[in-house]
Amino acid sequence: MIPAEMWAAAAADIDPLNTEAQGVGSQNPGSQNPGSQNLEAQNLAGYYPPSKTGLRGDHVGCSETMHRVRDGVFWADAPKAIETGESYDLVIVGGGISGLAAAHFFRKVAGEKARILILENHDDFGGHAKRNEFRAGNAMRLGFGGTYSIESPAPYSATAKSLIEELGIDVPSYPKYVDKNLYRSFGLKPRIFFDKETFGTDKLVINGLHQGSDESGLNDHDADARTIFLKEAPLTDKAKLDFPRLFASDRDYLPGLSSDEKKARLARISYARYLAEVMGVSDEIIKLLQAFPHPLFGVGIDAVAAQDAWGLGLPGFAGLKLEPGPGKGMNRDCIPNEEAERYFFHFPDGNATIARLLVRQLIPGAISGNSASDVVLAKADYSKLDEAPSPVRIRLNSTVVKVQHRGAPESAKEVEITYFSDKALKTVRAANCVLACWHVVIPYIASELSVAQKQALASAQKVPLLYNNVLMRNWTAFQKLETRAIYCPGMYHTSVNLDLPVSIGGYECAKKPDEPIVVHMMKAACHPGKPARDQHRLGRIALYSTTFETYERNIREQLARMLGAGGFDPARDILEITVNRWPHGYAYEYNSLFDQFWLEGGEQPCQVARKPFGRIAIANADADAYAYTDCAIDQAYRAVRELNRS
Ligand SMILES: Cc1cc2nc3c(=O)[nH]c(=O)nc-3n(C[C@H](O)[C@H](O)[C@H](O)COP(=O)(O)OP(=O)(O)OC[C@H]3O[C@@H](n4cnc5c(N)ncnc54)[C@H](O)[C@@H]3O)c2cc1C
């Protein structure tokens, strides 16, 4: 058992009852328990969440009930629970990929007749794997509202790989579907937008940091990029001298230390401090690199260890001559692995396709077809998700507020699960229960757990992110400005990308600049300068308290400013906006700057957190503190195995 003090620092904000520390304001303070979300019933004709625009992701209505439970006010005015009389072999809390995969694995053991209920607080299944569907005239345009692709820093486990294959996804066939030369054929290149507030002037410049290719398969190689960048970038002379120094290999900035000693030093200092204090580069360079790790960690280089930056291939380390291989405390995302890099597949709706394939397998009538490509255009029939005769049922808009054994956990034969939906509190019973929801939720709904386990669960922060999709009338402005991907380190959204040109299963991506396209805009809601967990907590508050109108204004203003010179007019060219707000985004991954236990080894909080108790097992990507789909699958598999052992 891990001594509590070892991760006391990490757990500074983990008092499960400390609502301020959890950092999410209730949206209905003091009000009566609202109806779970005032959403339509999923069995009504026309119920089709993927085509909803506006505020999606953790949409309005999905979190309020749980926030009231957290704030200790839910039970005071809760209605009397209604016993539905329903009884299942397994109830799963959370309909993300982990919950859906748990249902899949349970059926492998218990058979296809096993009765399973999945309870999900969102209006759609899939969790972070969310499909955004748009119409532009006759054309359908898909976007990923969250989970973008099959990819992971380490190779998929045999378990995760075999599930992907069983679903019919042929990962090595990805190059067949992506048009890797499309954007290059129009002269589009990755660029950096320098903004006036941060760099003194608004200017779009070729991206001298981009390494020429990435796993998405697009051909971006440009041998001259760095030279052109240095000519065009609005940087001072000092910064222009510093920039090539980042890549030079003739100076060891940590002389006299062995490779291991250097790695140990780098694990304890942020990349920003390494650049400033060890290399002495100018502040402008630090500002330029600040947002580089946003897509990976939801924080900037102020909160990423220099050792991790080295692993990611960021510049500044060539002269240190570090031995290949990770040092102690290196983040798993930063350990290069060729096999893992090759295992990549992007569906137009991201990993929502995995969720949809799982649902099709669990409830065949809900989504037609029989291949991983025909599912891309197949429309889900939500009225089929929760039908009494079906052995597997998915009940949306249902927030689980309590799970408790009927009797002592060691000997009970059943668990009672209480959920709130449509203003009513209801109970179901099950022989087994998998909690595939976020770990921070579990201490509030599973009172039987020990304090140590609750603390470990509550330490699983979530990383707040915005994944916004903008349907544009065309992409002629991108063509004129010769770009497809813009890194904008000083702006509200720090990356703006044209959709990946993937055509599959009859779905056709935009091929000509005058065709409608989805543009993806990402923001990490971070607060540079603070410890990562504090940044995430503050970011969650910011995302929950920002209105759609503000998000929309930020999107329009940023696009107008960046693309205006290409003739872009937001009033004319923006057709739809979907803001996927994820205050509870990525699973928090341990960080050698802030999590002492991660440097020292030994039992990790997630290992304490995921221990089974009685008839209840715990899944979700949080269970291995690793923000990837393979983790969500692996943890579902482990949870189901644990149930079968009890
Ligand atoms: C914006 C974004 C982009 C990502 N991109 C990638 C990527 O490209 N590749 C990758 O591998 N991973 C990616 N991830 C990581 C992603 O989290 C995992 O891949 C995976 O989808 C996690 O699945 P999960 O089931 O563990 O969690 P989730 O998807 O979070 O599902 C858990 C579900 O439980 C529900 N829940 C919580 N509390 C309750 C309750 N009380 N009652 C009922 N339901 C409840 C939640 O609302 C949620 O729907 C991304 C994550 C985010 C946020």
Side-chain angles (χ1 to χ4, degrees):
M1 187 74 182
I2 183 169
E5 64 276 14
M6 268 184 74
W7 40 279
D13 60 352
I14 66 175
D15 173 357
L17 300 176
N18 180 352
T19 57
E20 204 277 324
Q22 290 299 322
V24 180
S26 170
Q27 295 187 328
N28 294 289
S31 73
Q32 292 262 307
N33 281 326
S36 192
Q37 25 261 354
N38 287 336
L39 297 165
E40 324 91 284
Q42 67 192 68
N43 56 357
L44 289 183
Y47 184 95
Y48 194 63
S51 65
K52 288 190 172 177
T53 55
L55 200 49
R56 300 294 295 155
D58 290 331
H59 56 77
V60 173
C62 74
S63 311
E64 286 76 350
T65 298
M66 211 43 239
H67 288 166
R68 289 180 58 74
V69 174
R70 177 206 62 191
D71 294 346
V73 293
F74 175 84
W75 292 105
D77 53 19
K80 189 172 170 339
I82 302 162
E83 284 189 28
T84 60
E86 292 174 25
S87 169
Y88 296 89
D89 297 305
L90 172 67
V91 165
I92 298 170
V93 181
I97 287 181
S98 204
L100 297 168
H104 166 91
F105 291 127
F106 190 82
R107 272 154 60 99
K108 291 264 176 212
V109 187
E112 298 205 342
K113 291 197 178 135
R115 286 183 48 74
I116 302 174
L117 174 68
I118 300 173
L119 292 165
E120 165 59 47
N121 62 338
H122 284 77
D123 61 9
D124 205 351
F125 57 80
H128 294 150
K130 183 166 306 259
R131 177 176 169 106
N132 287 171
E133 209 173 293
F134 300 97
R135 284 261 153 214
N138 290 331
M140 178 199 266
R141 289 286 179 258
L142 292 173
F144 54 98
T147 311
Y148 161 69
S149 59
I150 295 175
E151 62 173 319
S152 193
Y156 267 44
S157 68
T159 303
K161 240 184 200 170
S162 68
L163 174 58
I164 294 295
E165 283 163 16
E166 198 177 320
L167 293 174
I169 303 172
D170 177 19
V171 173
S173 72
Y174 171 67
K176 266 196 338 209
Y177 304 109
V178 62
D179 189 343
K180 70 175 185 149
N181 286 316
L182 178 76
Y183 292 142
R184 197 173 171 80
S185 71
F186 290 101
L188 312 193
K189 296 174 178 178
R191 294 190 181 268
I192 297 178
F193 184 76
F194 288 85
D195 64 290
K196 195 168 167 212
E197 295 81 350
T198 317
F199 299 99
T201 183
D202 278 1
K203 193 166 181 192
L204 194 61
V205 172
I206 194 156
N207 189 336
L209 297 165
H210 189 73
Q211 283 157 351
S213 67
D214 57 30
E215 67 291 337
S216 66
L218 297 191
N219 179 359
D220 275 331
H221 184 69
D222 191 336
D224 300 329
R226 212 171 284 162
T227 318
I228 302 171
F229 169 82
L230 268 183
K231 248 191 240 154
E232 294 180 351
L235 294 170
T236 59
D237 291 346
K238 156 94 174 90
K240 287 195 178 186
L241 285 176
D242 285 342
F243 189 73
R245 196 152 64 80
L246 288 176
F247 302 91
S249 59
D250 57 356
R251 180 152 168 211
D252 184 349
Y253 289 94
L254 295 174
L257 299 180
S258 70
S259 174
D260 282 349
E261 287 165 341
K262 287 175 183 170
K263 286 181 188 171
R265 183 80 62 90
L266 296 175
R268 289 167 173 82
I269 180 173
S270 74
Y271 183 44
R273 278 188 57 204
Y274 173 78
L275 291 171
E277 294 169 17
V278 181
M279 289 190 72
V281 304
S282 74
D283 197 35
E284 284 164 273
I285 298 289
I286 294 165
K287 285 179 184 162
L288 175 65
L289 290 162
Q290 170 62 21
F292 203 83
H294 279 188
L296 216 46
F297 302 124
V299 286
I301 62 171
D302 59 294
V304 169
Q307 181 182 225
D308 291 337
W310 165 68
L312 290 174
L314 283 164
F317 304 99
L320 268 57
K321 308 278 186 283
L322 297 170
E323 301 284 344
K328 265 194 182 166
M330 198 151 163
N331 183 295
R332 287 177 283 180
D333 280 16
C334 306
I335 304 173
N337 183 297
E338 269 182 42
E339 182 189 340
E341 274 161 34
R342 284 195 304 272
Y343 199 74
F344 180 92
F345 202 108
H346 172 78
F347 285 97
D349 61 0
N351 287 4
T353 289
I354 298 181
R356 284 156 52 81
L357 286 166
L358 279 164
V359 168
R360 179 158 81 183
Q361 200 193 57
L362 297 169
I363 308 173
I367 304 182
S368 63
N370 50 30
S371 76
S373 36
D374 69 16
V375 79
V376 173
L377 284 181
K379 189 167 176 181
D381 181 350
Y382 284 77
S383 72
K384 296 274 192 296
L385 293 181
D386 189 12
E387 289 188 325
S390 169
V392 182
R393 302 171 73 171
I394 301 175
R395 196 162 294 164
L396 302 169
N397 304 313
S398 302
T399 304
V400 171
V401 290
K402 191 170 166 192
V403 285
Q404 191 160 27
H405 288 89
R406 290 178 47 80
E410 317 78 66
S411 55
K413 297 271 177 281
E414 273 185 324
V415 181
E416 185 171 80
I417 297 101
T418 308
Y419 66 95
F420 189 66
S421 177
D422 195 19
K423 296 192 174 71
L425 199 58
K426 297 178 188 166
T427 63
V428 293
R429 292 183 189 179
N432 300 283
C433 179
V434 169
L435 301 178
C437 52
W438 307 321
H439 280 200
V440 284
V441 164
I442 296 174
Y444 297 101
I445 64 176
S447 61
E448 295 164 326
L449 291 172
S450 69
V451 170
Q453 188 166 2
K454 282 183 187 165
Q455 285 187 331
L457 284 156
S459 74
Q461 277 278 354
K462 284 294 200 186
V463 177
L465 300 159
L466 283 179
Y467 262 38
N468 297 340
N469 283 322
V470 180
L471 180 69
M472 285 193 188
R473 209 164 55 92
N474 58 48
W475 38 292
T476 52
F478 285 84
Q479 184 192 17
K480 286 195 189 113
L481 298 170
E482 298 183 338
T483 189
R484 68 162 186 87
I486 309 175
Y487 168 57
C488 9
M491 299 292 281
Y492 185 80
H493 303 88
T494 52
S495 66
V496 176
N497 291 293
L498 289 181
D499 196 23
L500 269 187
V502 170
S503 299
I504 180 168
Y507 176 80
E508 294 294 329
C509 67
K511 303 219 168 86
K512 296 190 200 123
D514 59 0
E515 291 176 351
I517 198 163
V518 174
V519 172
H520 188 73
M521 304 175 76
M522 198 224 77
K523 175 183 176 61
C526 53
H527 288 250
K530 295 186 181 299
R533 287 162 189 272
D534 289 346
Q535 297 203 29
H536 299 324
R537 184 172 51 82
L538 293 169
R540 266 201 306 285
I541 295 171
L543 290 195
Y544 270 120
S545 52
T546 303
T547 61
F548 177 74
E549 289 66 34
T550 303
Y551 287 127
E552 177 175 11
R553 195 175 58 245
N554 290 338
I555 289 170
R556 288 178 180 275
E557 285 179 2
Q558 183 169 348
L559 289 175
R561 200 162 144 189
M562 288 173 34
L563 303 175
F568 177 80
D569 173 358
R572 183 193 61 210
D573 296 329
I574 293 179
L575 301 177
E576 297 275 11
I577 292 177
T578 298
V579 168
N580 292 286
R581 108 188 144 166
W582 296 109
H584 293 275
Y586 296 158
Y588 176 82
E589 299 187 351
Y590 300 137
N591 182 328
S592 61
L593 294 178
F594 311 109
D595 300 312
Q596 189 61 24
F597 60 85
W598 186 240
L599 271 169
E600 291 173 359
E603 197 170 32
Q604 298 155 27
C606 65
Q607 293 167 328
V608 178
R610 70 189 184 212
K611 292 200 164 132
F613 62 107
R615 297 183 159 268
I616 300 174
I618 296 178
N620 194 278
D622 289 345
D624 198 30
Y626 191 53
Y628 291 91
T629 294
D630 52 332
C631 174
I633 295 170
D634 289 341
Q635 294 307 315
Y637 181 74
R638 178 200 42 77
V640 168
R641 280 188 54 174
E642 285 170 353
L643 288 178
N644 283 307
R645 264 193 228 124
S646 62

